[in-house]
Amino acid sequence: MFFARTYIRVMLVALCSASALAQSRLDSIQPLHEVEVVANRYREVIPAQKLEKKQLEALSTYSVADAIRYFSGIQVKDYGGVAGLKTVDIRSMGTNHMGVFYDGIQLGNAQNGQIDLGRFSMDNMEEVSLYNGQKSEIFQPAKDYGSSGSVYLRTRRPKFESGTRNNLHATFRTGSFGLANPSVLWEHKLADNISMSANAEYTYATGRYKFRYRKVFEDGTVAWDTTAVRENGDIHALRAEAGIFGYMDDGKWHAKAYFYDSERGIPGAIVNNVWKNSQRQWDRNAFVQGSFQKELFPGYDFMLNAKYANDYMRYLNPDTTMMYTDNRFWQQEAYVSVANKYAVSSWWDVSLSADYQWNGLDADLQDFVDPQRHTLLVAAATAFDRWGWKAQASVLGTFVWEQVNRMASAQAAGSASATPAAVPDDTQAVTPAVFLSYEAFRDFTLRAFYKQSFRMPTFNDLYYTDIGNIALDPERTTQYNLGAHFRRQFGRGLFSMLEARADLYFNQVKNKIIAVPKGNGQYRWMMMNIGYVEIRGLDLSARTSLHLPADIRMDVLANYTFQKAQDFTDPTDTAPNGYGTYGGQIAYIPWHSGSAVMRVDWKQWRLDYSFIYVGERYHTSANTRANYEQPWYTHDLGLGRLFRWEKWNLNLTLEVNNLFDQQYEVVLNYPMPGRNYKFIVKCMF
């Protein structure tokens, strides 16, 4: 609580100071486009994959997780339906190596390291960006240097037409699986340089959908082939956000509050002829965060970020035939960051940033240790831009201290004498990164990067009762990338823009944390460092905009990924009959995958088409026929019409998802929906 109170005081002082400074300079407001240039004097060394508002609207997506599928090098684990957990993995390095940033500040989950992207809606999203390695910009918090890959979610910042002070957007979605999804967004201009926004959304769905379930033995005989209805996939969820945004001379600031509350069923895996599960989960996530950014004097930029988050989760398994479970977890996080950038010359910048983060976890588990983690990150970076070369280099120092409050078993038995439980050794690490690009000729750039990173074991990995292992070492990754990028704007003709990129990469993951059986039984597990993975891959991406006759405009985006991700954990696991895991493709990573998005605009009409393909893969590193997973693909189609009445805009959209009703699974024994429909009404004024 001390850290939480300290954080709140720091944030209030910073935001009040920013507000006062903004008010004192109302007469010298700079245009928006001039303000945005302050922190981005350099173009990115390695541009991100981006889906902007227009591309996001062209996708038949409900959440951020659905949109991210259309990036190359990405694997999304989806456990089915609106309520199913959705996590993202970049270039096969694991979910915990992906950083997810919401309006510039990282989302955290010290308990298990996973961010459920299904709880972030597209209604208030302005842009989704994916960076391999890290965001190639040196004016950023130290945490931005720490992940092997990053997804940046940028929500809408209020913009007003001349003479208006309010924007109001109301949206309602309905369709298959009992979906009812109303949302409303209100934006208000408080002053010439200060605005606010409020956004609320409610989601209800039964999650009931038909699916075909078929199992074939290795000899080709059919074990069963049936049609059933997915049960216990319902969800009730409320999301609410509010923010205030301000501009000043050579700077800007904002503060945001976020709240999410849900109850959902967990459909569970279909195994042992069990078609219905009864597990439930309750989540409540809340955070407040703020950012202040300003050029304090010529050449010197300053940025302050701060955040406090409070999360609650309850998991219930009432099935007494397995093991009755009713657990509750409470998580807190306090975070503050200071970043500084100085322009040594017109072509050379240096930066220094320091972050402090505190995480605490409490649970009603027996003998739970109530861990707390203190993390200090310090990053130094430099950027060079001259003679066609762009270069950025950084080094990140990470220092972690942990403490636990659990007393020894003597106290649990009622003894007055007890000693604190053991904690893992303090962790320190230094991880460098280097990014290079060279403009070989007009609009064509060669680029490369090298990066090291590591991730701490989660609280569950270390302390979960009877499973955690305090002797775990952090996972470490090393990334090598070589690529090329071409982008050209055309003034006239068929093509208005053409972009293509290609990247070859090699990644290593060491000390991979996995669960292994504990003792002779298969019902008790323990976390261990025994994994080593090598990933070789190729990402291809192409994007174009065309002007066709009859005032038709077409935007097309296509991605392809090849990955060979091999498990080299145990050299002795090379059974001659082919059942060994050594050298096998790791679980759920396809060799080939791809996607395509097309949007066609004609007058007030819009036609959207999207396609996803995931090739053959295995659900374990033992690449046997019994573990084989078939390829799957989906086609989605949407048709929309915009109606205008003075200041009112009404947008109607009909979507058909999984057009050809393919039956497939992203995760083994978790069947996905077949053909389904959605109708969207959006009113704007």
Side-chain angles (χ1 to χ4, degrees):
M1 290 303 297
F2 169 77
F3 296 101
R5 290 194 299 268
T6 302
Y7 161 78
I8 292 171
R9 294 190 188 108
V10 170
M11 181 173 155
L12 288 175
V13 170
L15 293 179
C16 291
S17 300
S19 299
L21 184 58
Q23 289 286 353
S24 68
R25 299 190 176 184
L26 285 175
D27 296 330
S28 58
I29 304 303
Q30 299 295 320
L32 175 61
H33 65 278
E34 293 183 19
V35 173
E36 293 296 336
V37 171
V38 170
N40 297 285
R41 191 162 57 88
Y42 292 107
R43 291 184 298 169
E44 296 170 329
V45 176
I46 298 182
Q49 298 183 63
K50 294 184 179 180
L51 290 171
E52 298 173 347
K53 186 66 175 178
K54 190 172 182 179
Q55 288 79 38
L56 293 172
E57 291 176 348
L59 304 176
S60 297
T61 58
Y62 172 76
S63 70
V64 169
D66 298 324
I68 288 176
R69 298 175 191 272
Y70 294 92
F71 290 134
S72 60
I74 283 291
Q75 299 86 38
V76 174
K77 282 191 175 181
D78 189 334
Y79 292 83
V82 176
L85 177 69
K86 298 171 178 62
T87 60
V88 63
D89 177 12
I90 184 170
R91 292 184 172 180
S92 306
M93 287 179 288
T95 298
N96 292 335
H97 288 283
M98 171 69 82
V100 181
F101 294 79
Y102 197 73
D103 286 335
I105 299 179
Q106 187 171 8
L107 298 169
N109 187 342
Q111 180 183 351
N112 58 33
Q114 297 185 344
I115 303 298
D116 182 7
L117 294 174
R119 66 183 175 95
F120 296 99
S121 171
M122 301 303 299
D123 278 353
N124 195 33
M125 202 62 58
E126 192 73 20
E127 180 182 273
V128 179
S129 306
L130 172 68
Y131 290 86
N132 290 302
Q134 65 192 36
K135 189 175 183 180
S136 53
E137 177 180 316
I138 66 168
F139 188 41
Q140 60 185 5
K143 281 184 70 69
D144 293 48
Y145 296 93
S147 302
S148 300
S150 303
V151 171
Y152 283 79
L153 311 178
R154 182 164 63 86
T155 60
R156 178 185 171 99
R157 197 174 181 114
K159 298 177 183 177
F160 301 92
E161 295 183 1
S162 178
T164 63
R165 302 186 67 87
N166 292 281
N167 295 326
L168 183 63
H169 296 182
T171 306
F172 183 76
R173 293 179 177 86
T174 187
S176 302
F177 324 134
L179 177 65
N181 176 216
S183 68
V184 61
L185 169 68
W186 175 49
E187 298 172 337
H188 178 62
K189 191 174 185 179
L190 298 170
D192 288 342
N193 65 335
I194 302 177
S195 60
M196 57 83 65
S197 72
N199 178 226
E201 177 182 21
Y202 176 75
T203 302
Y204 169 76
T206 64
R208 291 171 54 88
Y209 55 85
K210 290 183 179 180
F211 65 94
R212 181 183 178 186
Y213 204 65
R214 186 170 185 264
K215 180 175 178 62
V216 180
F217 290 123
E218 290 190 45
D219 61 4
T221 59
V222 177
W224 61 73
D225 189 349
T226 187
T227 300
V229 175
R230 198 73 162 123
E231 302 283 356
N232 198 43
D234 62 296
I235 184 172
H236 302 259
L238 172 67
R239 177 185 61 86
E241 298 182 51
I244 184 168
F245 309 84
Y247 292 96
M248 66 194 78
D249 286 344
D250 301 322
K252 59 184 179 179
W253 59 270
H254 78 267
K256 170 165 285 193
Y258 174 96
F259 177 79
Y260 179 83
D261 186 83
S262 71
E263 177 190 352
R264 70 185 71 197
I266 302 176
I270 298 176
V271 294
N272 299 327
N273 206 30
V274 176
W275 299 85
K276 182 178 180 180
N277 294 272
S278 52
Q279 292 93 338
R280 309 288 296 176
Q281 181 171 316
W282 291 260
D283 291 280
R284 186 179 64 243
N285 310 100
F287 65 77
V288 291
Q289 66 182 41
S291 179
F292 171 82
Q293 178 180 333
K294 182 173 174 59
E295 184 180 33
L296 296 182
F297 55 82
Y300 173 61
D301 294 303
F302 172 81
M303 179 165 57
L304 172 67
N305 289 339
K307 176 182 179 180
Y308 172 73
N310 191 302
D311 299 330
Y312 164 79
M313 184 186 78
R314 178 191 176 195
Y315 171 76
L316 172 66
N317 180 10
D319 188 353
T320 56
T321 62
M322 300 172 60
M323 183 177 70
Y324 178 83
T325 304
D326 188 0
N327 292 332
R328 293 168 173 83
F329 301 88
W330 296 266
Q331 234 186 125
Q332 292 188 82
E333 176 182 307
Y335 168 77
V336 63
S337 169
V338 175
N340 308 268
K341 180 174 72 71
Y342 180 69
V344 180
S345 69
S346 61
W347 48 269
W348 181 24
D349 283 359
V350 294
S351 74
L352 179 67
S353 56
D355 298 3
Y356 169 75
Q357 180 171 304
W358 169 79
N359 293 96
L361 178 65
D362 190 11
D364 61 359
L365 297 173
Q366 183 178 359
D367 297 328
F368 192 66
V369 300
D370 301 335
Q372 297 185 52
R373 175 176 293 173
H374 304 269
T375 305
L376 175 66
L377 303 104
V378 180
T382 185
F384 172 97
D385 185 355
R386 202 169 193 186
W387 305 306
W389 286 92
K390 294 180 186 294
Q392 292 181 2
S394 63
V395 59
L396 173 67
T398 305
F399 309 90
V400 182
W401 302 268
E402 296 199 356
Q403 62 187 59
V404 297
N405 297 324
R406 186 184 69 177
M407 295 292 108
S409 58
Q411 184 177 12
S415 171
S417 62
T419 57
V423 297
D425 295 333
D426 296 338
T427 299
Q428 302 178 15
V430 176
T431 50
V434 179
F435 292 75
L436 295 170
S437 73
Y438 176 69
E439 190 171 4
F441 53 86
R442 180 193 169 196
D443 301 323
F444 181 77
T445 303
L446 299 172
R447 73 263 186 110
F449 77 79
Y450 163 82
K451 178 178 171 65
Q452 291 183 6
S453 58
F454 87 114
R455 72 102 171 170
M456 284 291 296
T458 67
F459 283 158
N460 281 359
D461 293 338
L462 293 167
Y463 306 116
Y464 200 95
T465 303
D466 206 36
I467 295 177
N469 178 5
I470 64 170
L472 289 175
D473 292 322
E475 284 187 2
R476 298 180 181 271
T477 66
T478 304
Q479 300 169 260
Y480 305 86
N481 188 99
L482 179 64
H485 182 219
F486 173 82
R487 179 183 172 89
R488 178 168 296 179
Q489 298 285 145
F490 300 90
R492 297 181 181 180
L494 176 63
F495 295 95
S496 61
M497 184 274 292
L498 182 62
E499 180 178 17
R501 65 178 77 198
D503 287 277
L504 286 166
Y505 54 88
F506 172 65
N507 301 331
Q508 296 170 297
V509 182
K510 300 178 181 179
N511 293 331
K512 193 168 182 63
I513 299 171
I514 63 173
V516 297
K518 182 180 180 182
N520 296 324
Q522 294 293 317
Y523 300 100
R524 300 179 68 192
W525 295 76
M526 187 173 184
M527 310 307 296
M528 297 290 288
N529 285 114
I530 62 172
Y532 173 64
V533 174
E534 291 184 357
I535 304 110
R536 297 165 177 82
L538 168 67
D539 288 346
L540 300 175
S541 178
R543 181 176 173 182
T544 187
S545 296
L546 301 93
H547 291 294
L548 302 175
D551 198 26
I552 298 175
R553 180 182 175 87
M554 179 183 295
D555 294 298
V556 180
L557 170 67
N559 291 300
Y560 166 77
T561 296
F562 168 80
Q563 286 193 70
K564 188 174 183 180
Q566 295 174 281
D567 182 353
F568 290 114
T569 297
D570 185 1
T572 65
D573 192 3
T574 55
N577 57 7
Y579 286 82
T581 62
Y582 188 77
Q585 186 85 345
I586 64 176
Y588 292 110
I589 303 301
W591 281 270
H592 304 277
S593 60
S595 65
V597 180
M598 181 182 70
R599 172 169 176 161
V600 180
D601 291 287
W602 177 69
K603 296 183 178 179
Q604 307 301 321
W605 290 90
R606 186 184 82 245
L607 177 67
D608 301 320
Y609 167 77
S610 55
F611 167 78
I612 292 178
Y613 171 80
V614 174
E616 61 182 3
R617 61 215 187 282
Y618 294 88
H619 59 256
T620 76
S621 297
N623 296 171
T624 66
R625 179 182 176 88
N627 299 327
Y628 176 80
E629 296 293 317
Q630 292 184 343
W632 61 266
Y633 56 86
T634 60
H635 301 263
D636 302 326
L637 199 63
L639 180 64
R641 174 69 158 88
L642 177 64
F643 299 90
R644 299 180 185 271
W645 294 281
E646 296 181 351
K647 294 185 178 181
W648 287 73
N649 290 331
L650 178 65
N651 202 329
L652 304 179
T653 305
L654 176 64
E655 295 180 358
V656 183
N657 302 317
N658 196 355
L659 184 64
F660 298 109
D661 197 30
Q662 178 170 111
Q663 303 297 306
Y664 68 102
E665 297 175 343
V666 178
V667 179
L668 178 66
N669 297 323
Y670 285 83
M672 297 292 290
R675 185 185 301 113
N676 60 90
Y677 305 89
K678 192 185 302 175
F679 181 66
I680 306 170
V681 180
K682 186 172 185 178
C683 183
M684 300 163 286
F685 69 93

